[in-house]
């Protein structure tokens, strides 16, 4: 289907071609957040990007890489620590009239109807009530919500709620639409319907917008929707690659060239950081909250006849029905622990990973504990503190405040939760929720 010439009598005017006119420039943007102790957390560093008239640009990066922070800066909701955002030749200070945003969480007012939610965006403009209503109703019709103007958000499905999110942005007649993972809270089918509806409107030139900046962690979505994809790295977030998508809409996900491009992008996103950089972690290394069951499952899958120890990440993500955002942290955890290696789009088991796959439950736990102690400094640290203390107990806040010197509060909590979960599995230490403390005693039930 892809690239087929449209019928010569196609009635709809085509979307205007991408022009050289730059509508948005992000120049040298840096952003850090203060932390109670230690150095500030640098989330964005030297971010540069341009958005031209007529294009949909994707910003593709893993969770935590700073995509939402960047989008909030462009929307004028927060400030950059350094650098600037230039919209149509003028430096931005705060929200601009021509820039609107659609949020992942919909961000609707639950006590307002659909119509009132959409009108809310216009209120600041001081329009006469009739005109406000008229524009809101037109946006509601355009995005396929006709008949729902008087419904409340709670009466709508997730897909319909996000349509309200779109209507609320479109009613502003923005030049630029910013979208922060707008489809990721929706189920697969609903997300696809909304993507397709959006692209249809875009291609038919029915949207007021001239350019779109779409943030996503989903490679397929980026290839499906965007003219250009900017690959965003983490720690700190910055643009590391630009990929042009040469396919016409409507795109076919099964087209071999589509698949190939998805593969290529996977490969770019899994290039190793550099020789020698793979094993040395610090106490403040962020640990993904990945379940030990999933890790064992992935090791078994990789060791199976189908994969014989090595798999292509896109193939694996399809076979396991896991999105990249779920598969990456999973594969990375195995890499951290020394059970697998990740390189250019492939994940393969190490000899240790092979052994793990063949081992029984107890031997797996022993191996896991050993890997945690040797490869995860935070785990070794907790263990040694517990070993030294007379009662073999230590409060969680102690480790939490140490971690907060390196990580944001939420990342610190998440890392401590991950290490707790892993430590329980390896029977290194356990955590008492009621006492909020770690100890060396392993309850009977968990050692089974
Ligand atoms: P993404 O959208 O790519 O998942 P975010 O921009 O939401 O990433 O977050 C990037 C990093 O910045 C995360 O580590 C997050 O914890 C941190 N962060 C975001 N906002 C704040 C804030 N207001 N204070 C402290 N840290 C923050
Ligand atoms: Mg985000």
């Amino acid at each position: 289907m892809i690239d087929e010439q449209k019928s010569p009598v196609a009635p709809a005017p085509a979307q205007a071609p991408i022009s050289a006119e730059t509508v948005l420039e992000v120049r040298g943007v840096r952003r850090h957040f203060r932390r109670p102790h230690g150095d500030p957390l640098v989330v964005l560093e030297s971010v540069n990007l341009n958005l031209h008239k007529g294009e949909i640009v994707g910003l593709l990066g893993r969770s935590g890489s700073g995509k939402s922070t960047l989008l909030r800066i462009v929307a004028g909701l927060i400030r950059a620590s350094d650098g600037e955002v230039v919209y149509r030749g003028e430096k931005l200070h705060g929200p601009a009239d021509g820039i609107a945003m659609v949020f992942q969480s919909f961000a609707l007012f639950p006590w307002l109807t659909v119509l009132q939610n959409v009108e809310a965006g216009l209120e600041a403009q001081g329009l006469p009530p009739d005109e406000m209503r008229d524009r809101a109703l037109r946006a509601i019709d355009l995005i396929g919500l006709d008949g729902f103007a008087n419904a409340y958000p709670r009466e709508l499905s997730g897909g319909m709620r996000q349509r309200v999110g779109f209507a609320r942005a479109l009613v502003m007649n923005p030049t630029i639409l910013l979208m922060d993972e707008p489809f990721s809270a929706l189920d697969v089918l609903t997300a696809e319907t909304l993507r397709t509806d959006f692209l249809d409107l875009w291609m038919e030139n029915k949207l007021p917008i001239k350019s779109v900046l779409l943030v996503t962690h989903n490679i397929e979505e980026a290839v499906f929707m965007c003219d250009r994809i900017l690959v965003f790295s983490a720690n700190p977030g910055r643009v590391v690659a630009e990929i042009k998508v040469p396919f016409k809409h409507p795109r076919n996900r099964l087209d071999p060239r589509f698949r190939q491009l998805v593969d290529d992008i996977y490969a770019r996103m899994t290039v190793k950081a550099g020789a020698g950089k793979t094993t040395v972690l610090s106490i403040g290394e962020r640990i993904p909250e990945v379940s030990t069951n999933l890790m064992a499952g992935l090791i078994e899958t990789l060791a199976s006849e189908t994969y014989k120890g090595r798999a292509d990440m896109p193939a694996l993500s399809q076979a396991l029905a896991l999105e990249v955002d779920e598969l990456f942290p999973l594969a990375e955890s195995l890499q951290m622990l020394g059970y697998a290696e990740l390189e250019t789009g492939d994940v393969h088991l190490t000899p240790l990973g092979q052994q793990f796959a063949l081992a029984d439950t107890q031997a797996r736990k022993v191996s896991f504990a050993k890997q945690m102690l040797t490869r995860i400094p935070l785990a070794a640290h907790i263990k040694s503190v517990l070993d030294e203390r007379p009662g073999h107990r230590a409060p969680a806040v102690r480790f939490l405040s140490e971690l907060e010197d390196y990580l944001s509060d939420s990342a610190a909590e998440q890392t401590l939760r991950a290490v707790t979960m892993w430590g329980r599995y390896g029977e290194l230490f356990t955590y008492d929720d009621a006492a909020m403390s770690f100890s060396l005693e392993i309850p009977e039930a968990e050692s089974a």
Side-chain angles (χ1 to χ4, degrees):
M1 233 163 73
I2 192 165
D3 262 359
E4 249 174 31
Q5 287 299 312
K6 274 205 175 150
S7 144
V9 290
Q15 167 70 21
I18 298 168
S19 80
E21 185 184 333
T22 301
V23 285
L24 183 85
E25 278 175 85
V26 173
R27 295 184 191 151
V29 162
R30 172 189 158 89
R31 171 74 207 204
H32 61 252
F33 291 106
R34 262 181 230 291
R35 278 183 291 199
H37 322 276
D39 299 331
L41 175 72
V42 180
V43 173
L44 302 171
E45 184 79 270
S46 314
V47 178
N48 294 300
L49 65 88
N50 283 340
L51 193 58
H52 302 124
K53 200 169 155 186
E55 65 177 351
I56 302 182
V57 171
L59 194 67
L60 176 65
R62 281 133 88 170
S63 150
S65 57
K67 305 180 301 295
S68 294
T69 303
L70 180 61
L71 224 52
R72 283 200 287 269
I73 290 172
V74 173
L77 300 175
I78 60 172
R79 282 169 181 279
S81 313
D82 205 350
E84 57 187 20
V85 178
V86 177
Y87 167 62
R88 297 190 132 172
E90 305 238 352
K91 193 172 160 176
L92 270 190
H93 305 276
D97 274 348
I99 303 182
M101 178 136 150
V102 179
F103 297 88
Q104 175 177 17
S105 57
F106 319 148
L108 305 179
F109 301 117
W111 58 89
L112 299 182
T113 64
V114 167
L115 180 62
Q116 289 163 340
N117 262 286
V118 177
E119 284 179 334
L122 284 175
E123 250 147 38
Q125 298 193 352
L127 298 172
D130 282 357
E131 193 183 333
M132 216 160 76
R133 176 133 314 186
D134 196 49
R135 271 175 64 174
L137 286 171
R138 268 187 284 141
I140 285 170
D141 278 358
L142 179 68
I143 204 73
L145 280 170
D146 28 329
F148 290 91
N150 296 317
Y152 286 90
R154 64 168 181 276
E155 299 169 310
L156 303 178
S157 65
M160 296 303 261
R161 282 183 212 171
Q162 189 55 307
R163 282 178 198 265
V164 183
F166 274 94
R168 201 181 38 188
L170 293 173
V171 76
M172 311 293 290
N173 282 334
T175 304
I176 297 177
L177 185 65
L178 307 174
M179 305 206 266
D180 191 358
E181 311 214 19
F183 311 108
S184 67
L186 306 174
D187 66 79
V188 177
L189 288 178
T190 306
E192 193 68 349
T193 308
L194 199 46
R195 282 185 201 110
T196 311
D197 286 357
F198 179 84
L199 283 173
D200 285 348
L201 291 170
W202 169 257
M203 291 311 293
E204 288 165 13
N205 228 354
K206 289 187 176 153
L207 300 175
I209 47 183
K210 297 285 178 278
S211 315
V212 178
L213 186 57
L214 167 69
V215 154
T216 180
H217 66 261
N218 184 325
I219 298 177
E220 291 226 4
E221 175 174 296
V223 174
F224 188 68
M225 299 196 65
C226 301
D227 300 298
R228 198 152 59 91
I229 298 171
L230 304 173
V231 178
F232 209 61
S233 74
N235 300 317
R238 50 159 74 203
V239 177
V240 291
E242 174 182 272
I243 294 151
K244 293 215 158 62
V245 184
F247 316 132
K248 285 184 200 157
H249 292 291
R251 295 175 184 170
N252 178 357
R253 289 173 186 269
L254 301 178
D255 184 292
R257 290 174 309 150
F258 187 106
R259 306 289 354 141
Q260 184 60 48
L261 187 57
V262 170
D263 258 40
D264 292 348
I265 299 175
Y266 262 102
R268 278 178 196 246
M269 291 178 77
T270 50
V271 180
K272 270 201 218 169
K277 214 197 153 211
T278 43
T279 48
V280 195
L281 303 180
S282 78
I283 281 196
E285 184 74 20
R286 191 169 173 165
I287 299 174
E289 218 175 329
V290 167
S291 92
T292 48
N293 272 337
L294 277 178
M295 280 193 263
L298 181 56
I299 293 178
E300 284 165 17
T301 306
L302 285 169
S304 70
E305 268 306 296
T306 319
Y307 296 105
K308 299 192 171 61
R310 174 182 285 271
D312 177 45
M313 295 274 279
L316 201 57
S317 120
Q318 282 207 313
L320 302 177
L322 284 176
E323 274 199 24
V324 60
D325 207 31
E326 299 165 305
L327 185 57
F328 265 134
L330 185 53
E332 271 176 349
S333 311
L334 295 187
Q335 171 159 292
M336 270 186 183
L337 289 161
Y339 291 123
E341 288 285 344
L342 265 171
E343 57 191 324
T344 56
D346 276 5
V347 52
H348 64 91
L349 287 182
T350 59
L352 206 68
Q354 303 275 12
Q355 277 172 26
F356 184 98
L358 298 172
D360 64 20
T361 310
Q362 196 49 38
R364 282 182 176 189
K365 284 174 182 267
V366 170
S367 159
F368 200 85
K370 179 162 171 252
Q371 292 312 104
M372 277 186 77
L373 285 178
T374 50
R375 316 253 323 195
I376 313 250
L378 176 61
H381 175 59
I382 295 176
K383 177 74 162 65
S384 77
V385 168
L386 295 175
D387 281 342
E388 279 159 26
R389 290 207 164 191
H392 302 308
R393 298 188 78 83
V397 283
R398 176 209 161 125
F399 302 114
L400 207 52
S401 63
E402 284 176 281
L403 277 177
E404 281 165 2
D405 289 347
Y406 303 89
L407 300 166
S408 71
D409 294 5
S410 63
E413 279 168 25
Q414 184 227 293
T415 293
L416 200 61
R417 278 201 304 271
V419 105
T420 304
M421 177 165 63
W422 295 8
R424 272 183 176 152
Y425 174 73
E427 299 181 0
L428 268 186
F429 40 74
T430 190
Y431 180 71
D432 178 346
D433 289 296
M436 297 202 291
S437 64
F438 286 90
S439 74
L440 286 182
E441 294 141 321
I442 309 292
E444 279 303 304
E446 287 190 42
S447 59

